[in-house]
Structure formats: C-alpha cells, structure tokens
Amino acid sequence: MALQLASYALTIAIVLGSLLPDTALAALRVVATTPDVADMARQIGGDRVEVVTIAEGSQDPHKVPVKPSFVTKLNRADALVVQGLGLEHAFLPALLEAARNPRIAPGAPAYIDSSLYIEPLEVPSSTSRTQGELHPLGNPHFNLDPVQGKLMARAIAEGLERVDPGGATAYRDGLARFTAQLDEKIPQWTAQAAPLRGVKAVSYHQDMIYFARRFGIDLDGTIETKPGVPATAGHIEELIGTMKRDDVKLVIREVAYEMPLAETVANKTGARVATVAAMTGGLPGADTYVAFVQANLDAVLAALPASGK
Ligand SMILES: [Zn+2]
C-alpha cells in the first residue's frame, strides 16, 4: 500500500514537472565581464543563475584579449553583468557588436551595470584627457573598496530581479546575505588596516584610489606616466625624486604589471613592493570578492616595515 502511494505521488510529481514551463527549470544564463561581478552574481543569484566570466583576475582589465568563444556565450545570454564606468572598453564593445544580442545591449534591461550607485572619483573636468586614455569617465577601479562592493551588489541584485522578476525574493535574500557578509568584514578590515593610516605609497597603475581612501593610504604618484601610458625614463627619475623627498617606502604593484620596474623603483628609494590584484582571483586563493579584499589588505600590510611607519 505504502509503495503504491509512493509510486502514485511520483507519477503526479512527474506530470506536474512536465507541465512547468522550461524557464522555471533552466537557470538564467549570465555573462559577467569580471570575476568580481561574477562572484557577486553567483552569491546573489544562487541556483537561479549560471554565470560565466570573461576576464581573468590576474589580467589587466584594460587589456583583456577578445576571444571569439565569448561571442556565442553573449549571443545566448539572458543577462550581462558589467563593472562599468568604461572598465571593459578593451573587449566588451567588440564582443557585444559581434554577439548581436539586443537584450544585453547597453541600456537594455538585461545590461546590468554594477557602477549604477557608485560616485566616481577623478572624473575629468573636460575632454583634456589628463587622466590618459583609459579612465575617460572617471576612475573605474572602485571594486577594490568593499564599501563600493556593497553598492555594486545592490545594482546587480536589482538587475537580476529586473530580468527575472519571479526570483525577486531569492535575489533580495541573496543580496541581504552578501551585504551582511561585507557588513561584518568591513569593521574588521578597517581595524586591521589601522597601521596603513597616513602611510605614503605609489602604485603602478592609478587603480588604488578607492582602496587608499577607504584604508587611509596617502598616494603619491604612479609608475605609469598616466593610466595606460607607459613609464618614461624621465618620469621614473621624477617619481624617485618625489619618493625620496616625501619618504615614500611602499610601492604597490598590481599583479598584471611588470615586477622588475616596480623593484627598480623600490630599490632606488629603499621602499618595499606589495603585489595586489585589481580583480577578484588575481592573487592565489582569493577567488571570492571577500577573499580578494582580504588578500590585497594582507599584501599591503605585509610590505610595511616591521617597526610600523
Ligand atoms: Zn585603470
């Protein structure tokens, strides 16, 4: 009898299952441009989303190669999540043009821009290109600051809900869980970063400004002449002079940029080099957004002189 009932229940379940529309069973096909927004989309969307990522964490976001394999993925995508503020200029416009998917075109509902709530720093006041060619809309490296990370997650959750309104509760719960994680970590990171307050540093690329503002680092120049403009001998000489004058003992080098030049600058000024990542996954083991922020903070703290400042 029990067996018969179980079999009957199973039959009903199968019949009901076959009546449900496909969309209720298939996960939302999401393409994420960077590992940061990919991790956020996964954490917020859970089982409702299937996320593939274009850039790798150790790459320079400004130089991600355009791979044809992504055209197919973008063509079939239900949603696209971007970091935004022009970060993806090197690869996204060409891929989107080839993919011919109007659902994920910039401005379309399924184009989810994580920069929606960010207040950008270093917005050029004119088209003078004083920030070089790479940051024409302002500095796009806000992902390095976990407080901006919360704003990114909010924009992503709202975008997923827009594309998949049936998952509204799931996305809101996912956002609440992700935000709670950051709300717990941010005070811990701020306390851990206390030795960084007032520490002077130079970075290779102009991508540390949101991180520096959050944790109190005093930035004093970059190895690149301007964002995307390689160092010249004259610029390096000037930078070394500035570092000696201002007693700068920390060089922050992003993993995608060459170590030898960072080491040369450090050796000539008695500074130490901290290797950080500009994107999630750029440092070993730092494959989630939370681990990425932690790894960058650990790396910078480890490069401080033992005696403190
Ligand atoms: Zn940049």
Side-chain angles (χ1 to χ4, degrees):
M1 183 64 183
L3 193 64
Q4 259 179 350
L5 272 179
S7 153
Y8 184 58
L10 186 66
T11 308
I12 289 179
I14 289 169
V15 169
L16 279 176
S18 67
L19 291 175
L20 288 171
D22 279 344
T23 45
L25 301 171
L28 206 64
R29 285 176 300 223
V30 177
V31 175
T33 53
T34 71
D36 301 68
V37 293
D39 180 55
M40 291 176 187
R42 278 192 196 103
Q43 299 220 28
I44 293 164
D47 292 344
R48 297 191 74 91
V49 297
E50 201 174 280
V51 183
V52 295
T53 316
I54 296 178
E56 289 164 27
S58 58
Q59 289 173 327
D60 175 353
H62 297 299
K63 289 185 182 165
V64 174
V66 175
K67 283 190 199 157
S69 59
F70 284 106
V71 172
T72 318
K73 291 188 173 102
L74 284 164
N75 177 260
R76 298 176 65 237
D78 299 311
L80 170 66
V81 186
V82 306
Q83 180 160 318
L85 214 63
L87 183 78
E88 293 91 345
H89 65 91
F91 58 99
L92 191 59
L95 283 173
L96 280 180
E97 199 184 326
R100 296 172 188 274
N101 180 350
R103 282 180 300 177
I104 56 164
Y111 181 91
I112 302 173
D113 184 347
S114 88
S115 73
L116 185 64
Y117 298 116
I118 304 291
E119 285 181 29
L121 298 176
E122 295 181 341
V123 178
S125 54
S126 67
T127 50
S128 63
R129 293 187 167 164
T130 50
Q131 295 304 316
E133 305 285 339
L134 296 188
H135 299 166
L137 304 173
N139 194 301
H141 300 286
F142 47 83
N143 59 311
L144 280 89
D145 169 9
V147 174
Q148 310 308 307
K150 285 170 59 176
L151 298 174
M152 294 167 71
R154 181 180 153 202
I156 292 169
E158 289 175 2
L160 290 172
E161 182 176 334
R162 192 166 63 230
V163 179
D164 175 25
T169 307
Y171 299 132
R172 287 174 194 196
D173 289 351
L175 175 64
R177 273 195 310 275
F178 185 74
T179 304
Q181 223 187 127
L182 286 179
D183 281 338
E184 190 190 336
K185 284 284 180 188
I186 288 165
Q188 294 172 13
W189 285 328
T190 308
Q192 192 192 350
L196 294 175
R197 299 243 156 242
V199 166
K200 291 174 184 157
V202 302
S203 59
Y204 203 115
H205 180 68
Q206 182 68 343
D207 53 10
M208 297 303 295
I209 63 165
Y210 297 90
F211 182 92
R213 180 181 64 172
R214 180 62 47 207
F215 297 121
I217 297 171
D218 188 359
L219 292 174
D220 204 15
T222 59
I223 292 177
E224 280 187 315
T225 306
K226 283 178 189 177
V229 182
T232 60
H235 172 72
I236 291 296
E237 200 177 317
E238 199 180 315
L239 182 70
I240 287 170
T242 306
M243 288 176 68
K244 284 180 175 166
R245 187 193 68 211
D246 296 346
D247 200 27
V248 178
K249 297 294 178 206
L250 177 61
V251 175
I252 301 175
R253 168 240 167 191
E254 307 77 358
V255 70
Y257 289 83
E258 56 167 325
M259 188 56 148
L261 186 53
E263 273 178 336
T264 302
V265 170
N267 289 341
K268 290 198 172 163
T269 54
R272 294 174 73 181
V273 180
T275 295
V276 302
M279 292 187 284
T280 293
L283 293 181
D287 292 329
T288 64
Y289 181 71
V290 166
F292 155 75
V293 176
Q294 182 70 64
N296 279 350
L297 193 53
D298 289 345
V300 174
L301 283 163
L304 292 186
S307 57
K309 288 178 198 174

